[in-house]
Structures are given as structure tokens and as C-alpha cells.
Amino acid sequence: MPVERRSFTVKSSGILRQLVSPCFVAETITIDGASPRPLGRRFRSLWDTGATISMVSQRVVEELGLPVEGQVNVRHAGGVAKGLPLYYVGLLLYNNVQIERIRVGLLAGQDIDVILGMDIINRGDFAISNKNGSTSFSFRIPSVEDFDFASADSERGAYD
């Protein structure tokens, strides 16, 4: 069965230093199937290409009553965090972009509740633009095209 394409774009009125969007987190999120569809709770999420897996804060764990499912090591910009508590959650992003049953580590010492890492980003197409002094970012699942800005520029004669 083909995967339904879903996408969204977040636009700002200026240049952003962080890519933040809301997301719903629950133990399970199923909106297209016959299963119940608990939407969980809404949290702030940060898109982080430097994180190998996604993470949730202690607040998320406590509010959802998530059980520890093991341990996980996470690579991020600050190094490697070893032996973090491991949980499984479902995520619902803008425009019903859903990620079912993904493993997440425990996020400590941050002012954000969810880190969306490369385990989410590599499931689709992700693009960032800062045109005219305004940041926008787009995400689409599943991936449907390759982006190649260099080839597009050279076709227009940018390197002649």
C-alpha cells in the first residue's frame, strides 16, 4: 500500500536561530487506521539535524506517564550521551504528518520539550530557506525528490 504524502511549511517574519514547531506526543498516534487515535498532548519541538535520534523532556515523560523501555546512546552537537532512558512515542506534526512508535531518549537540561532528530528528518524531504530576511522550513513524508541547488544555479549560468 503506498504511503500517503503529507507535508507542511512553517514561515516566520524574520530570520530564525532555531526551527521550532508544535507537535502532539502520545504513547500511540494512529489517525489513518482503525485504532483509537489518542492525540496526546501538545508540546514545543525543536528540529535538530545534529541529533541522531529524537528526544523528549522529563515533563513529557511525566505528563504522559511513559514507561522506560530500555537505554539508548544519543549523538548530538555536544558529544555523546550514553545510557539515557529509552521510551516509545507517537508524534503528530502539522497537517497530520504522523510518526508512529518511534524510540526517543530522555532530554535533560533544555528549555524545549521535544527534539526532532535525524530519525524523523531522514524519513522525508526537509528544506530551509532564508529568502528576503524570513526563515521558512518545509517537511514532507515520504521523500519524493532530490534537492540540488548547485546544479540549478549552474544551469542558470551562475558559475559562468
Side-chain angles (χ1 to χ4, degrees):
M1 183 172 149
V3 177
E4 181 180 358
R5 185 186 309 178
R6 300 242 184 211
S7 61
F8 64 86
T9 299
V10 175
K11 296 183 179 193
S12 74
S13 59
I15 297 293
L16 299 177
R17 294 181 54 95
Q18 296 181 324
L19 303 179
V20 175
S21 65
C23 74
F24 286 87
V25 182
E27 278 194 77
T28 306
I29 290 182
T30 304
I31 61 171
D32 295 328
S35 301
R37 53 179 283 204
L39 290 181
R41 297 198 182 162
R42 183 180 171 153
F43 297 97
R44 286 180 62 231
S45 63
L46 173 71
W47 293 79
D48 187 351
T49 61
T52 54
I53 73 165
S54 297
M55 302 179 77
V56 295
S57 69
Q58 185 66 41
R59 176 178 163 226
V60 173
V61 170
E62 291 173 2
E63 286 191 21
L64 298 178
L66 298 175
V68 176
E69 304 275 350
Q71 292 185 334
V72 65
N73 298 333
V74 178
R75 291 188 181 278
H76 52 81
V80 178
K82 296 184 177 183
L84 296 177
L86 171 69
Y87 306 93
Y88 284 90
V89 297
L91 303 172
L92 183 64
L93 308 174
Y94 280 126
N95 198 24
N96 290 329
V97 173
Q98 71 183 47
I99 311 292
E100 293 183 38
R101 191 151 168 85
I102 188 162
R103 65 186 197 142
V104 295
L106 180 63
L107 174 66
Q110 300 288 326
D111 63 350
I112 197 88
D113 288 309
V114 179
I115 297 285
L116 299 173
M118 287 304 296
D119 57 337
I120 301 292
I121 295 168
N122 69 16
R123 292 174 181 229
D125 295 325
F126 184 66
I128 304 167
S129 174
N130 292 294
K131 185 177 179 186
N132 297 326
S134 296
T135 302
S136 66
F137 67 97
S138 253
F139 182 64
R140 170 177 54 207
I141 282 183
S143 179
V144 295
E145 74 179 284
D146 289 326
F147 297 105
D148 185 347
F149 300 127
S151 290
D153 286 347
S154 67
E155 288 173 8
R156 288 188 208 111
Y159 300 109
D160 294 337

